[in-house]
């Protein structure tokens, strides 16, 4: 399970975490490694901009893929984050390579050759779901809330079908 891998991340090296995650998520480790490395974006192709949000150990910044002029969000751990947090972001990126769904934020790429490791994800121009709901509260109708709820449920069903539990589903 993801919890098992995260527990493993607190007590082992990055290489061991990667190997354990690959074995858990993929039958063909070689193909999984290739797919993960195909997601590499050169750091020189990224323009990192302002902070969009941050937590205890992580930060998300607005970014731009220069070659395609594509706005993205760039997630990383903070420089002094514990090793376990640094390992968790790698596991998260690996999960995202496998879990592609219309109602989940899409992984665009990774920057694994820099420290800290970066996850490059789809930029959500409307911000968080909570922010969107707060801004649109006067124009949204009951049917809109039902539609949003169905989209969330569809994404959670997809994750469950892959034996993944989203442990931080919330609109704070």
């Amino acid at each position: 399970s993801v919890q098992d891998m995260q527990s493993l991340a607190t007590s082992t090296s990055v290489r061991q975490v990667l190997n354990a995650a690959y074995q858990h998520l993929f039958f063909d480790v070689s193909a999984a490694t290739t797919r993960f490395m195909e997601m590499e974006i050169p750091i020189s192709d990224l323009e990192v901009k302002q902070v969009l949000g941050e937590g205890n150990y992580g930060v998300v910044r607005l970014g731009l893929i220069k070659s395609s002029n594509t706005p993205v969000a760039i997630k990383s751990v903070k420089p002094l984050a514990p090793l376990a947090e640094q390992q968790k972001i790698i596991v998260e990126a690996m999960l995202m390579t496998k879990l592609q769904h219309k109602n989940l934020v899409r992984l665009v790429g990774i920057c694994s050759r820099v420290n800290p490791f970066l996850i490059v994800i789809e930029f959500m121009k409307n911000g968080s779901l909570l922010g969107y709901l707060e801004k649109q509260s006067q124009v949204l109708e009951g049917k809109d809330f039902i539609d949003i709820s169905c989209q969330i449920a569809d994404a959670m069903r997809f994750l469950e079908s892959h034996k993944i539990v989203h442990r931080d589903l919330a609109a704070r």
Side-chain angles (χ1 to χ4, degrees), residues 36-87:
F36 192 67
M37 297 321 290
E38 286 173 350
M39 301 296 296
E40 186 73 31
I41 297 173
I43 191 68
S44 61
D45 196 23
L46 282 180
E47 181 179 330
V48 181
K49 298 183 179 188
Q50 75 266 17
V51 171
L52 297 173
E54 61 184 295
N56 289 335
Y57 299 115
V59 61
V60 178
R61 291 182 171 83
L62 178 62
L64 183 74
I65 298 177
K66 296 176 195 175
S67 60
S68 62
N69 202 34
T70 304
V72 292
I74 302 170
K75 184 175 182 178
S76 67
V77 293
K78 292 179 179 176
L80 299 177
L83 179 61
E85 295 302 319
Q86 296 172 35
Q87 293 169 338

Side-chain angles (χ1 to χ4, degrees), residues 9 20 22 34 102 106 114 133 168:
Y22 279 148
T34 301
K102 66 181 180 176
R106 185 176 61 86
V114 295
L133 293 173
D168 192 29

